[in-house]
Coordinates of all heavy atoms in Angstrom, one line a residue:
M37 N -18.2 4.0 1.2 CA -16.9 3.3 1.1 C -15.8 4.1 0.6 O -15.9 4.9 -0.3 CB -17.3 2.1 0.2 CG -16.0 1.1 0.1 SD -16.4 -0.3 -1.0 CE -17.7 -1.2 -0.1
A38 N -14.7 3.8 1.0 CA -13.4 4.5 0.7 C -12.9 4.0 -0.7 O -13.0 2.9 -1.0 CB -12.3 4.4 1.6
D39 N -12.3 4.9 -1.5 CA -11.4 4.5 -2.6 C -10.0 4.2 -2.0 O -9.5 4.9 -1.2 CB -11.2 5.6 -3.6 CG -12.5 5.9 -4.3 OD1 -13.4 5.0 -4.4 OD2 -12.7 7.0 -4.9
L40 N -9.5 3.0 -2.2 CA -8.2 2.7 -1.7 C -7.0 3.0 -2.8 O -6.9 2.4 -3.8 CB -8.3 1.2 -1.4 CG -7.0 0.6 -0.7 CD1 -6.6 1.4 0.5 CD2 -7.2 -0.9 -0.3
I41 N -6.2 3.9 -2.3 CA -5.0 4.3 -3.1 C -3.8 3.7 -2.4 O -3.6 3.8 -1.2 CB -4.9 5.7 -3.2 CG1 -6.1 6.4 -3.8 CG2 -3.7 6.2 -4.0 CD1 -6.5 6.0 -5.2
C42 N -2.9 3.1 -3.1 CA -1.8 2.3 -2.5 C -0.5 2.7 -3.2 O -0.4 2.7 -4.4 CB -1.9 0.9 -2.5 SG -0.8 -0.1 -1.7
S43 N 0.6 3.0 -2.5 CA 1.9 3.3 -3.0 C 2.9 2.1 -2.9 O 4.0 2.3 -3.3 CB 2.4 4.5 -2.3 OG 2.8 4.2 -0.9
M44 N 2.4 0.9 -2.4 CA 3.3 -0.3 -2.3 C 3.5 -0.9 -3.7 O 2.5 -1.0 -4.4 CB 2.7 -1.2 -1.4 CG 2.5 -0.7 0.1 SD 4.1 -0.1 0.8 CE 5.0 -1.6 1.0
A45 N 4.6 -1.4 -3.9 CA 4.9 -2.3 -5.1 C 4.4 -3.7 -4.7 O 5.2 -4.6 -4.4 CB 6.4 -2.2 -5.4
C46 N 3.1 -3.9 -5.0 CA 2.4 -5.1 -4.5 C 1.8 -5.7 -5.7 O 1.2 -5.1 -6.7 CB 1.3 -4.6 -3.5 SG 0.2 -5.9 -3.0
K47 N 1.6 -7.0 -5.7 CA 1.0 -7.8 -6.8 C -0.5 -7.4 -7.0 O -1.1 -7.6 -8.1 CB 1.1 -9.2 -6.5 CG 2.5 -9.8 -6.5 CD 2.6 -11.4 -6.2 CE 4.0 -11.8 -6.1 NZ 4.0 -13.2 -5.7
H48 N -1.1 -6.8 -6.0 CA -2.5 -6.6 -6.1 C -2.8 -5.1 -6.5 O -3.9 -4.7 -6.7 CB -3.2 -6.8 -4.8 CG -3.1 -8.3 -4.3 ND1 -3.6 -9.4 -4.9 CD2 -2.5 -8.7 -3.2 CE1 -3.2 -10.4 -4.3 NE2 -2.6 -10.1 -3.2
R49 N -1.8 -4.3 -6.7 CA -2.0 -2.9 -7.1 C -2.2 -2.9 -8.6 O -1.5 -3.5 -9.4 CB -0.7 -2.1 -6.6 CG -1.1 -0.6 -6.6 CD 0.1 0.1 -6.3 NE 1.0 0.3 -7.5 CZ 1.9 1.2 -7.6 NH1 2.2 1.9 -6.5 NH2 2.7 1.2 -8.6
S50 N -3.2 -2.0 -9.0 CA -3.4 -1.8 -10.4 C -2.2 -1.3 -11.1 O -1.4 -0.6 -10.6 CB -4.5 -0.8 -10.5 OG -4.8 -0.4 -11.9
K51 N -2.0 -1.8 -12.4 CA -0.9 -1.4 -13.2 C -1.2 -0.1 -13.9 O -0.3 0.5 -14.3 CB -0.6 -2.5 -14.3 CG -0.5 -3.8 -13.7 CD 0.9 -4.1 -13.2 CE 1.1 -5.5 -12.6 NZ 0.4 -5.8 -11.4
R52 N -2.5 0.4 -14.1 CA -2.9 1.5 -14.7 C -3.1 2.7 -13.6 O -3.8 2.4 -12.5 CB -4.0 1.3 -15.4 CG -4.0 0.6 -16.6 CD -5.2 0.2 -17.4 NE -6.0 -0.6 -16.7 CZ -7.4 -0.4 -16.5 NH1 -7.9 0.6 -17.1 NH2 -8.0 -1.3 -15.9
P53 N -2.7 3.8 -13.9 CA -3.0 5.0 -12.9 C -4.5 5.3 -12.8 O -5.2 5.0 -13.8 CB -2.3 6.1 -13.6 CG -1.4 5.6 -14.6 CD -1.8 4.3 -15.0
S54 N -4.8 5.8 -11.7 CA -6.2 6.1 -11.4 C -6.6 7.3 -12.3 O -5.7 8.3 -12.4 CB -6.4 6.4 -9.9 OG -7.8 7.0 -9.7
R55 N -7.8 7.2 -12.8 CA -8.3 8.3 -13.6 C -9.0 9.4 -12.6 O -9.2 10.5 -12.9 CB -9.3 8.0 -14.6 CG -8.6 7.3 -15.9 CD -9.6 6.9 -16.9 NE -9.9 5.5 -16.6 CZ -11.2 5.0 -17.1 NH1 -12.0 5.7 -17.8 NH2 -11.3 3.7 -16.9
K56 N -9.3 8.9 -11.4 CA -10.0 9.7 -10.5 C -9.0 10.5 -9.6 O -9.4 11.6 -9.1 CB -11.1 8.9 -9.7 CG -11.9 9.5 -8.7 CD -12.9 8.6 -8.1 CE -13.8 9.3 -7.0 NZ -14.7 8.3 -6.4
W57 N -8.0 9.8 -9.2 CA -7.2 10.4 -8.2 C -5.8 10.6 -8.6 O -5.2 10.0 -9.5 CB -7.0 9.4 -6.9 CG -8.4 9.1 -6.4 CD1 -9.2 8.1 -6.5 CD2 -9.0 10.1 -5.4 NE1 -10.3 8.3 -5.7 CE2 -10.2 9.5 -5.0 CE3 -8.9 11.4 -4.9 CZ2 -11.3 10.0 -4.3 CZ3 -9.8 11.9 -4.1 CH2 -10.9 11.3 -3.8
R58 N -5.2 11.7 -8.1 CA -3.7 12.1 -8.5 C -3.1 12.8 -7.3 O -3.8 13.5 -6.5 CB -3.8 13.1 -9.7 CG -2.5 13.4 -10.3 CD -2.7 14.0 -11.7 NE -3.0 13.0 -12.7 CZ -2.1 12.4 -13.3 NH1 -0.7 12.6 -13.0 NH2 -2.3 11.6 -14.3
H59 N -1.8 12.5 -7.1 CA -1.1 13.3 -5.9 C -1.2 14.8 -6.2 O -1.4 15.3 -7.4 CB 0.3 12.9 -5.8 CG 0.6 11.5 -5.3 ND1 0.5 11.3 -4.0 CD2 0.7 10.3 -5.8 CE1 0.6 9.9 -3.7 NE2 0.8 9.4 -4.9
K60 N -1.0 15.7 -5.2 CA -1.1 17.1 -5.4 C 0.0 17.6 -6.3 O -0.2 18.6 -7.1 CB -0.9 17.9 -4.0 CG -2.1 17.8 -3.2 CD -2.0 18.5 -1.9 CE -3.3 18.5 -1.1 NZ -3.1 19.1 0.3
D61 N 1.1 16.9 -6.4 CA 2.3 17.4 -7.2 C 2.2 16.8 -8.7 O 3.0 17.0 -9.5 CB 3.5 16.9 -6.5 CG 3.8 15.5 -6.4 OD1 2.9 14.7 -7.0 OD2 4.7 15.0 -5.8
G62 N 1.0 16.1 -8.8 CA 0.8 15.5 -10.2 C 1.1 14.2 -10.4 O 0.9 13.6 -11.6
R63 N 1.9 13.5 -9.5 CA 2.2 12.1 -9.6 C 0.9 11.3 -9.7 O 0.0 11.6 -9.1 CB 3.1 11.7 -8.6 CG 4.5 12.2 -8.7 CD 5.3 11.6 -7.5 NE 4.9 12.1 -6.2 CZ 4.5 11.3 -5.2 NH1 4.6 10.1 -5.3 NH2 4.1 11.9 -4.1
P64 N 0.9 10.2 -10.6 CA -0.3 9.3 -10.6 C -0.5 8.6 -9.3 O 0.4 8.3 -8.5 CB 0.0 8.4 -11.8 CG 1.5 8.4 -11.8 CD 2.0 9.7 -11.4
C65 N -1.7 8.2 -9.0 CA -2.2 7.3 -7.9 C -2.5 6.0 -8.5 O -3.0 5.8 -9.6 CB -3.3 8.0 -7.2 SG -2.9 9.3 -6.2
Y66 N -2.4 4.9 -7.8 CA -2.7 3.5 -8.2 C -3.7 3.0 -7.2 O -3.5 3.1 -5.9 CB -1.5 2.7 -8.3 CG -0.6 3.2 -9.4 CD1 0.3 4.2 -9.1 CD2 -0.7 2.8 -10.8 CE1 1.2 4.7 -10.3 CE2 0.2 3.2 -11.8 CZ 1.1 4.2 -11.5 OH 1.9 4.6 -12.5
A67 N -4.7 2.3 -7.7 CA -5.7 1.7 -6.8 C -5.4 0.2 -6.6 O -4.6 -0.4 -7.2 CB -7.1 1.8 -7.4
C68 N -5.9 -0.2 -5.4 CA -5.9 -1.6 -5.1 C -7.0 -2.4 -6.0 O -8.1 -1.8 -6.1 CB -6.1 -1.9 -3.7 SG -6.0 -3.6 -3.0
T69 N -6.6 -3.5 -6.5 CA -7.6 -4.4 -7.2 C -8.4 -5.3 -6.5 O -9.4 -5.9 -7.0 CB -6.8 -5.1 -8.3 OG1 -6.0 -6.0 -7.7 CG2 -6.1 -4.3 -9.3
L70 N -8.0 -5.4 -5.1 CA -8.9 -6.4 -4.4 C -10.2 -5.8 -4.0 O -10.4 -4.6 -3.9 CB -8.1 -6.9 -3.1 CG -6.8 -7.4 -3.4 CD1 -6.0 -7.8 -2.0 CD2 -7.0 -8.8 -4.1
N71 N -11.2 -6.7 -3.7 CA -12.5 -6.2 -3.2 C -12.4 -5.6 -1.7 O -13.2 -4.6 -1.3 CB -13.5 -7.2 -3.2 CG -14.0 -7.7 -4.6 OD1 -13.9 -6.8 -5.6 ND2 -14.3 -8.9 -4.8
Y72 N -11.6 -6.1 -1.0 CA -11.4 -5.7 0.4 C -9.9 -5.9 0.9 O -9.2 -6.8 0.3 CB -12.3 -6.3 1.4 CG -12.2 -7.8 1.6 CD1 -11.4 -8.2 2.6 CD2 -12.8 -8.6 0.7 CE1 -11.2 -9.7 2.7 CE2 -12.6 -10.0 0.8 CZ -11.8 -10.5 1.9 OH -11.7 -11.8 2.0
V73 N -9.5 -5.3 1.9 CA -8.2 -5.5 2.4 C -8.4 -5.5 3.9 O -9.3 -5.0 4.5 CB -7.1 -4.6 2.0 CG1 -6.8 -4.6 0.5 CG2 -7.4 -3.1 2.4
Y74 N -7.3 -5.9 4.6 CA -7.3 -6.0 6.1 C -6.1 -5.2 6.6 O -5.0 -5.6 6.3 CB -7.4 -7.3 6.6 CG -7.7 -7.5 8.2 CD1 -8.9 -7.4 8.6 CD2 -6.7 -7.6 9.0 CE1 -9.1 -7.5 10.0 CE2 -6.7 -7.5 10.3 CZ -8.0 -7.5 10.8 OH -8.3 -7.5 12.2
I75 N -6.4 -4.2 7.3 CA -5.3 -3.3 7.7 C -5.2 -3.6 9.3 O -6.3 -3.6 10.0 CB -5.6 -1.7 7.5 CG1 -6.0 -1.5 6.2 CG2 -4.4 -0.9 8.1 CD1 -4.9 -1.7 5.2
S76 N -4.0 -3.8 9.7 CA -3.8 -4.1 11.1 C -2.5 -3.4 11.6 O -1.8 -3.0 10.8 CB -3.8 -5.7 11.4 OG -2.5 -6.1 10.8
R77 N -2.3 -3.6 12.9 CA -1.1 -3.0 13.5 C 0.2 -3.9 13.2 O 0.0 -5.0 13.3 CB -1.2 -2.7 15.0 CG -0.2 -1.9 15.6 CD -0.6 -1.5 17.0 NE 0.2 -0.4 17.6 CZ 1.4 -0.5 18.1 NH1 2.0 -1.7 18.0 NH2 2.0 0.5 18.6
V78 N 1.2 -3.4 12.9 CA 2.4 -4.2 12.6 C 2.8 -4.9 14.0 O 2.6 -4.3 15.0 CB 3.6 -3.1 12.3 CG1 4.9 -3.9 12.3 CG2 3.3 -2.4 11.0
F79 N 3.1 -6.2 13.8 CA 3.6 -6.9 15.0 C 4.9 -6.4 15.4 O 5.9 -6.3 14.7 CB 3.8 -8.4 14.6 CG 4.2 -9.3 15.8 CD1 3.5 -9.5 16.8 CD2 5.6 -9.7 15.8 CE1 3.9 -10.3 17.9 CE2 6.0 -10.4 17.0 CZ 5.3 -10.7 17.9
D80 N 4.9 -5.9 16.8 CA 6.1 -5.2 17.3 C 6.2 -5.6 18.8 O 5.9 -4.6 19.7 CB 5.8 -3.7 17.0 CG 7.0 -2.9 17.4 OD1 8.2 -3.4 17.4 OD2 6.8 -1.6 17.7
M81 N 6.5 -6.6 19.1 CA 6.5 -7.1 20.4 C 7.4 -6.3 21.4 O 6.8 -6.0 22.5 CB 7.0 -8.6 20.4 CG 6.7 -9.3 21.8 SD 6.9 -11.1 21.7 CE 8.8 -11.1 21.5
D82 N 8.5 -6.0 20.9 CA 9.4 -5.2 21.9 C 9.3 -3.6 21.6 O 10.0 -2.9 22.3 CB 10.8 -5.7 21.6 CG 11.4 -5.7 20.2 OD1 10.7 -5.0 19.4 OD2 12.4 -6.1 19.9
G83 N 8.5 -3.2 20.8 CA 8.4 -1.7 20.6 C 9.3 -1.1 19.8 O 9.4 0.2 19.6
D84 N 10.4 -1.9 19.2 CA 11.4 -1.2 18.5 C 11.0 -0.5 17.2 O 11.5 0.5 16.8 CB 12.4 -2.2 18.1 CG 13.4 -2.7 19.3 OD1 13.2 -2.1 20.3 OD2 14.1 -3.7 19.1
I85 N 10.0 -1.2 16.4 CA 9.6 -0.6 15.3 C 8.8 0.7 15.5 O 9.1 1.7 14.8 CB 8.6 -1.6 14.4 CG1 9.4 -2.9 14.0 CG2 8.0 -1.0 13.2 CD1 8.5 -3.9 13.5
C86 N 7.9 0.8 16.5 CA 7.3 1.9 16.8 C 8.1 3.0 17.2 O 7.9 4.2 16.9 CB 6.2 1.6 17.8 SG 5.1 2.9 18.2
A87 N 9.2 2.6 18.0 CA 10.2 3.6 18.5 C 10.9 4.3 17.3 O 11.2 5.5 17.4 CB 11.2 3.0 19.3
V88 N 11.1 3.6 16.2 CA 11.8 4.2 15.0 C 10.9 4.9 14.0 O 11.0 5.9 13.7 CB 12.6 3.1 14.3 CG1 13.1 3.7 13.1 CG2 13.7 2.6 15.2
A89 N 9.7 4.2 13.8 CA 8.8 4.5 12.7 C 7.7 5.5 13.2 O 7.2 6.2 12.6 CB 8.0 3.4 12.2
G90 N 7.3 5.5 14.6 CA 6.3 6.2 15.1 C 5.0 5.6 15.0 O 4.8 4.8 14.1
E91 N 4.1 5.8 15.9 CA 2.8 5.3 16.1 C 1.9 5.5 14.9 O 1.2 4.7 14.3 CB 2.1 5.7 17.3 CG 0.7 5.1 17.5 CD 0.8 3.6 17.7 OE1 1.8 3.2 18.2 OE2 0.0 2.8 17.2
N92 N 2.1 6.7 14.1 CA 1.5 7.0 12.9 C 1.8 6.0 11.8 O 1.0 6.0 10.7 CB 1.6 8.4 12.4 CG 1.0 9.4 13.4 OD1 0.1 9.0 14.3 ND2 1.3 10.7 13.2
N93 N 2.8 5.4 11.8 CA 3.3 4.5 10.7 C 3.2 3.0 11.0 O 3.8 2.1 10.4 CB 4.7 4.8 10.4 CG 4.8 6.1 9.8 OD1 4.1 6.5 9.0 ND2 5.7 7.0 10.5
M94 N 2.2 2.6 12.0 CA 2.2 1.2 12.4 C 1.2 0.4 11.8 O 1.0 -0.7 12.1 CB 2.0 1.2 14.0 CG 3.2 1.8 14.7 SD 4.7 0.8 14.4 CE 4.4 -0.7 15.4
A95 N 0.4 1.1 10.9 CA -0.6 0.2 10.2 C -0.1 -0.5 8.9 O 0.9 0.2 8.2 CB -1.9 1.3 9.8
H96 N -0.5 -1.7 8.6 CA 0.0 -2.3 7.5 C -1.2 -3.1 6.8 O -2.1 -3.5 7.5 CB 1.2 -3.2 7.7 CG 1.1 -4.4 8.3 ND1 1.6 -5.4 7.7 CD2 0.3 -4.9 9.4 CE1 1.2 -6.6 8.3 NE2 0.6 -6.2 9.4
C97 N -1.1 -3.4 5.5 CA -2.0 -4.1 4.9 C -1.6 -5.7 4.9 O -0.4 -6.0 4.6 CB -2.1 -3.7 3.3 SG -3.1 -4.9 2.4
T98 N -2.4 -6.6 5.5 CA -2.1 -7.9 5.7 C -2.0 -8.8 4.3 O -1.6 -9.9 4.3 CB -3.0 -8.7 6.7 OG1 -4.3 -8.5 6.2 CG2 -2.9 -7.9 8.1
F99 N -2.6 -8.1 3.2 CA -2.7 -8.7 2.0 C -1.4 -8.3 1.1 O -1.5 -8.7 0.0 CB -3.8 -8.5 1.2 CG -5.2 -9.1 1.9 CD1 -6.4 -8.6 1.6 CD2 -5.1 -10.0 2.9 CE1 -7.5 -9.2 2.1 CE2 -6.1 -10.6 3.5 CZ -7.4 -10.2 3.2
Y100 N -0.6 -7.6 1.6 CA 0.5 -7.2 0.8 C 1.4 -8.2 0.3 O 1.8 -9.1 1.2 CB 1.4 -6.1 1.7 CG 2.7 -5.8 1.1 CD1 2.7 -5.2 -0.2 CD2 3.9 -5.8 1.8 CE1 4.0 -4.7 -0.7 CE2 5.0 -5.4 1.3 CZ 5.1 -4.9 -0.1 OH 6.3 -4.5 -0.6
E101 N 1.6 -8.3 -1.0 CA 2.5 -9.3 -1.5 C 3.5 -8.5 -2.5 O 3.2 -8.0 -3.5 CB 1.7 -10.2 -2.5 CG 0.9 -11.2 -1.6 CD 0.2 -12.4 -2.4 OE1 1.1 -13.1 -3.0 OE2 -0.9 -12.5 -2.6
P102 N 4.8 -8.4 -2.0 CA 5.9 -7.6 -2.7 C 6.0 -8.2 -4.2 O 5.9 -9.4 -4.3 CB 7.0 -7.8 -2.0 CG 6.5 -8.4 -0.7 CD 5.3 -9.0 -0.8
I103 N 6.2 -7.3 -5.1 CA 6.6 -7.7 -6.5 C 8.2 -7.9 -6.4 O 8.8 -6.9 -6.0 CB 6.3 -6.5 -7.5 CG1 4.8 -6.5 -7.5 CG2 6.9 -6.9 -8.8 CD1 4.2 -5.1 -8.3
E104 N 8.6 -9.0 -6.8 CA 10.0 -9.2 -6.8 C 10.6 -9.0 -8.2 O 9.9 -9.1 -9.1 CB 10.2 -10.6 -6.3 CG 9.8 -10.9 -4.9 CD 9.9 -12.4 -4.6 OE1 10.4 -13.1 -5.1 OE2 9.2 -12.6 -3.6
G105 N 11.8 -8.6 -8.2 CA 12.5 -8.3 -9.4 C 12.5 -6.8 -9.8 O 12.2 -6.1 -8.7
P106 N 12.9 -6.5 -11.0 CA 13.1 -5.0 -11.2 C 11.9 -4.1 -11.0 O 11.9 -3.0 -10.7 CB 13.4 -5.0 -12.7 CG 14.0 -6.5 -13.0 CD 13.1 -7.2 -12.0
E107 N 10.6 -4.7 -11.4 CA 9.4 -3.9 -11.2 C 9.2 -3.6 -9.8 O 8.7 -2.4 -9.3 CB 8.2 -4.6 -11.7 CG 7.0 -3.8 -11.8 CD 5.8 -4.7 -12.5 OE1 6.0 -5.9 -12.8 OE2 4.6 -4.1 -12.5
G108 N 9.5 -4.5 -8.9 CA 9.3 -4.2 -7.5 C 10.3 -3.3 -6.8 O 10.2 -2.7 -5.7
D109 N 11.5 -3.1 -7.6 CA 12.6 -2.3 -7.0 C 12.4 -0.8 -7.2 O 13.2 0.0 -6.9 CB 13.9 -2.8 -7.6 CG 14.2 -4.1 -7.1 OD1 13.6 -4.6 -6.0 OD2 14.9 -4.9 -7.7
E110 N 11.4 -0.4 -8.1 CA 11.2 0.9 -8.5 C 10.9 1.9 -7.4 O 11.1 3.1 -7.5 CB 10.2 1.1 -9.6 CG 8.8 0.9 -9.2 CD 7.9 0.8 -10.4 OE1 8.3 0.1 -11.4 OE2 6.9 1.4 -10.4
G111 N 10.4 1.4 -6.2 CA 10.2 2.3 -5.1 C 9.0 3.1 -5.1 O 8.8 3.9 -4.3
V112 N 8.2 3.0 -6.1 CA 7.0 3.8 -6.4 C 7.2 5.2 -5.8 O 7.1 5.7 -4.7 CB 5.8 3.2 -5.8 CG1 4.6 3.9 -6.1 CG2 5.7 1.8 -6.2
Ligands
LIG58 S1 -3.3 -5.7 -1.2 FE1 -2.6 -4.1 0.3 S2 -0.5 -3.5 -0.2 FE2 -1.5 -4.7 -2.0 S3 -2.2 -3.2 -3.4 FE3 -3.9 -3.6 -2.1 S4 -3.9 -2.2 -0.3 FE4 -1.9 -2.1 -1.3

């Protein structure tokens, strides 16, 4: 099973940095607190998102819940 590291400012992301994982440049990594998540392709009926973001960026977590307010604006 994979360890799930997430960079989104999401309500389900751990508030504490991972003790096991860290970015190569030393920045902390944060884990998802859910038991499972569902990753699917972004809804993109006319292909505009894919044209701009690229196919490699079309996956998204369907359980993502943005943190609103100052904490969610930090951009991780
Ligand atoms: S629910 Fe999805 S977006 Fe939210 S922390 Fe977990 S993996 Fe990241």
Side-chain angles (χ1 to χ4, degrees):
M37 186 179 294
D39 291 339
L40 182 53
I41 305 300
C42 185
S43 64
M44 299 301 291
C46 172
K47 291 178 183 174
H48 303 297
R49 199 182 76 163
S50 175
K51 307 286 183 277
R52 289 178 290 137
S54 169
R55 280 181 272 158
K56 183 175 179 183
W57 299 103
R58 185 168 283 278
H59 289 279
K60 285 182 180 174
D61 63 6
R63 286 180 297 124
C65 289
Y66 295 87
C68 178
T69 59
L70 298 180
N71 290 331
Y72 65 91
V73 295
Y74 188 83
I75 307 296
S76 69
R77 194 172 194 278
V78 172
F79 177 72
D80 187 24
M81 193 170 70
D82 54 12
D84 285 354
I85 298 171
C86 188
V88 174
E91 186 59 38
N92 289 348
N93 295 305
M94 294 300 287
H96 82 126
C97 175
T98 58
F99 296 163
Y100 172 52
E101 288 189 61
I103 297 170
E104 294 169 18
E107 191 179 354
D109 294 337
E110 67 188 44
V112 186

